[in-house]
Amino acid sequence: MRELTMKSIDDYKNKKVLVLGAGKSGTHAAETMQELGATVTLSDSKPASELPEVKELNDRGIETLTGEQPADILDRGFDLMVKNPGIPYDNPVVNSAVNHHLPIITEVELAAQITDAEIVGVTGSNGKTTTVTMITKILNEERQKGQAYAAGNIGISATETAKKATADDTIVMELSSFMLLGIKNLHPHVAVLTNIFSNHLDYHKTRENYVNAKMRITMNQTPEDFFVVNFDSDEWRQLSHRSQAKVVPFARTSEIDHGAYEKNGKLYYNDEFIMNADDIKVPGKQNVENALAAIATAKVLGKSNLAITNVLETFTGVRHRCQFVLEANGRRFYNDSKATDIEATQMALEGFDKPVVLLAGGLDRGYTFDKLIPQFKEHVKAAVLFGETADLLEDSLQKAGVEHIQKVDNLDEAVPAAYADSDEGDIVLLSPANASWDQFKTFEQRGDQFIKDVEKLTHKQEEH
């Protein structure tokens, strides 16, 4: 095990810190704050029976408050709140903290404070995890000193990573809009904006708020830093003017004269040929965009073309993100459970040039799916629908002229139904275009169930 090298800081010594929300980020934030000399209380609305980490925290001398949160919790004189990113600001305790001018941060801010490692930050509506993974792998190619680590919203604790990272290392942080609302001084040397669509408006209330949250990734950057940003939208181009950093564009469809871009099926950086787009191992136009963002980041950090191509020609994708599962009887099965919005499913469908049998459906957020009609018309030969939005999806598919549409009760029924509608040479794709919470706790659980169902159906194992 690598020795911990956490930078010693006195910012929190003898301070009273409230960590709101357990989970991975809350637990590690609480432990880190205690190690920095703070008196820590962790509060979570779940009962202790659902929080296995409580005993370990109590054994360390960290007070835990579980179940219904005390109304007077802030009367204890806390100096700081570390908030779980998923807890909204209209939560009563958080709202009260705001009104009392109690400083609120998220775990990634703490992680940045305790490390001397170089930070690459990646945000955007879609493509963050794949882009983070591509960048991390490229930065570890041909590396002479140190190591690149992926952390943050990718599911790996930023503070635990920061504790072991040294000045020779790089931390590639996936930063959600929720996380970015809780930063003060986090300063990525390279900040990456993959794209911005209208996501999480139930949390942010307006698109403007959502965009402003995303743009916090570059707020502490200087002219010595780099802002890698998608130039395929006029809106995103205009956002680049908000940054003080050197702007490094990337574009798949727009013509640009510098940065990373695709032209006639080839990928370039500042007119230098890097590789053919078709040689990227993971399918889909969205992954060309992710690769371009990774190429731009790698080049400004001095990586060679060989390091880039070694990774992009072999990387098979991140689990649940247009992940190739297996091939059976001429059908190729793909798990894109992370497609929790319309735009992600649009990009997934556009990534295939063979007929698609689509599995879709999930939580009803009150919108229709007519934006998908062009992709349904061009790519979908049959669809199997489940969950709260099955009827809404059926309506849009019918408008697109898709004739073979089935509605089933759940994913377990959807997989064999989709196989029955498929022929040799077809793609069987789970790309729900919806959140999973009507039938699953997480999109990961939904994707894992899909893989299990495919393995049961085909009597084959997932390929790695």
Side-chain angles (χ1 to χ4, degrees):
M1 180 178 291
R2 188 166 182 175
E3 182 181 352
L4 297 185
T5 58
M6 179 173 70
K7 185 167 70 173
S8 178
I9 59 174
D10 294 326
D11 302 51
Y12 304 113
K13 194 171 185 179
N14 299 321
K15 296 292 179 69
K16 292 185 68 175
V17 176
L18 173 63
V19 177
L20 192 65
K24 195 175 294 185
S25 68
T27 301
H28 289 143
E31 292 171 349
T32 303
M33 281 293 187
Q34 186 190 53
E35 291 164 8
L36 293 170
T39 300
V40 182
T41 300
L42 183 143
S43 178
D44 194 289
S45 59
K46 293 179 181 176
S49 60
E50 296 181 19
L51 298 168
E53 58 268 40
V54 161
K55 184 181 184 306
E56 183 178 346
L57 291 173
N58 289 339
D59 289 344
R60 292 177 61 118
I62 295 173
E63 179 187 23
T64 57
L65 303 174
T66 57
E68 187 174 348
Q69 295 165 348
D72 62 349
I73 190 171
L74 294 183
D75 294 343
R76 298 181 174 210
F78 292 108
D79 299 299
L80 175 78
M81 175 187 289
V82 183
K83 183 184 75 67
N84 182 292
I87 299 174
Y89 281 79
D90 58 9
N91 172 281
V93 177
V94 180
N95 187 52
S96 179
V98 171
N99 292 336
H100 285 82
H101 305 289
L102 181 68
I104 302 171
I105 64 170
T106 48
E107 185 230 6
V108 291
E109 172 73 7
L110 175 60
Q113 291 175 333
I114 62 170
T115 185
D116 288 319
E118 176 180 67
I119 294 176
V120 174
V122 179
T123 196
S125 298
N126 293 321
K128 294 187 295 297
T129 300
T130 298
T131 302
V132 163
T133 308
M134 287 177 170
I135 291 171
T136 304
K137 288 179 176 292
I138 293 170
L139 294 184
N140 279 323
E141 284 284 313
E142 303 175 342
R143 195 177 185 110
Q144 300 299 313
K145 290 181 69 177
Q147 182 175 342
Y149 297 94
N153 197 55
I154 197 169
I156 301 169
S157 166
T159 48
E160 289 301 286
T161 303
K163 287 178 185 179
K164 62 186 177 184
T166 72
D168 291 328
D169 298 326
T170 305
I171 302 176
V172 186
M173 288 191 187
E174 179 178 327
L175 299 168
S176 70
S177 58
F178 308 152
M179 290 173 168
L180 288 167
L181 282 174
I183 68 166
K184 308 294 183 187
N185 301 302
L186 188 149
H187 180 175
H189 179 45
V190 182
V192 181
L193 177 63
T194 60
N195 48 55
I196 298 183
F197 300 111
S198 293
N199 288 4
H200 306 301
L201 298 191
D202 51 342
Y203 184 106
H204 294 286
K205 309 307 179 187
T206 68
R207 179 179 170 83
E208 182 181 11
N209 289 343
Y210 177 56
V211 171
N212 288 339
K214 289 292 188 188
M215 287 301 294
R216 290 174 67 85
I217 195 172
T218 187
M219 71 180 186
N220 295 317
Q221 289 192 295
T222 73
E224 303 303 310
D225 302 314
F226 300 93
F227 184 37
V228 175
V229 58
N230 192 332
F231 264 37
D232 277 335
S233 159
D234 288 339
E235 178 195 24
W236 307 336
R237 287 186 184 220
Q238 292 305 312
L239 289 175
S240 70
H241 297 307
R242 294 196 200 177
S243 178
Q244 297 299 309
K246 298 182 185 73
V247 174
V248 183
F250 68 93
R252 181 178 61 83
T253 60
S254 299
E255 288 190 18
I256 56 177
D257 57 10
H258 67 292
Y261 53 90
E262 179 181 0
K263 185 176 181 180
N264 299 325
K266 300 179 183 299
L267 306 188
Y268 296 87
Y269 182 80
N270 289 352
D271 293 331
E272 179 186 6
F273 172 73
I274 306 295
M275 64 186 298
N276 293 316
D278 286 346
D279 289 336
I280 297 171
K281 186 76 170 179
V282 283
K285 296 174 183 177
Q286 77 276 20
N287 283 314
V288 175
E289 293 179 16
N290 298 335
L292 288 168
I295 288 168
T297 302
K299 293 299 281 187
V300 300
L301 292 177
K303 299 303 292 187
S304 71
N305 292 351
L306 181 60
I308 293 169
T309 55
N310 280 349
V311 170
L312 297 182
E313 291 178 359
T314 58
F315 172 57
T316 56
V318 178
R319 194 172 182 83
H320 309 302
R321 293 157 176 85
C322 260
Q323 169 206 357
F324 172 63
V325 178
L326 57 83
E327 181 171 354
N329 300 323
R331 285 86 164 163
R332 293 176 67 86
F333 293 82
Y334 285 86
N335 164 30
D336 191 34
S337 184
K338 181 60 174 66
T340 57
D341 57 47
I342 287 172
E343 288 81 8
T345 296
Q346 284 178 317
M347 287 192 282
L349 289 171
E350 289 172 357
F352 295 102
D353 56 10
K354 293 181 179 179
V356 173
V357 178
L358 176 68
L359 296 84
L363 183 73
D364 188 352
R365 283 175 160 161
Y367 50 74
T368 70
F369 297 89
D370 285 0
K371 285 175 65 176
L372 278 162
I373 289 175
Q375 289 77 26
F376 287 163
K377 186 176 295 186
E378 183 175 353
H379 299 282
V380 177
K381 65 174 284 186
V384 182
L385 312 174
F386 53 91
E388 293 178 356
T389 56
D391 290 341
L392 290 166
L393 281 159
E394 180 183 37
D395 181 64
S396 298
L397 284 156
Q398 287 174 339
K399 291 176 183 176
V402 178
E403 295 181 359
H404 298 285
I405 304 170
Q406 293 187 64
K407 289 186 290 185
V408 297
D409 290 337
N410 52 51
L411 186 56
D412 290 343
E413 296 178 7
V415 169
Y419 180 82
D421 276 344
S422 69
D423 295 302
E424 191 171 336
D426 289 348
I427 303 296
V428 180
L429 170 69
L430 171 69
S431 189
N434 292 269
S436 60
W437 304 321
D438 58 336
Q439 296 185 341
F440 298 93
K441 290 182 179 180
T442 64
F443 72 82
E444 292 96 340
Q445 185 186 70
R446 178 171 62 187
D448 289 340
Q449 188 60 51
F450 173 73
I451 292 171
K452 288 178 184 176
D453 289 338
V454 170
E455 289 178 333
K456 180 180 178 181
L457 175 76
T458 62
H459 305 291
K460 295 184 71 174
Q461 294 296 305
E462 170 189 358
E463 295 186 19
H464 295 282

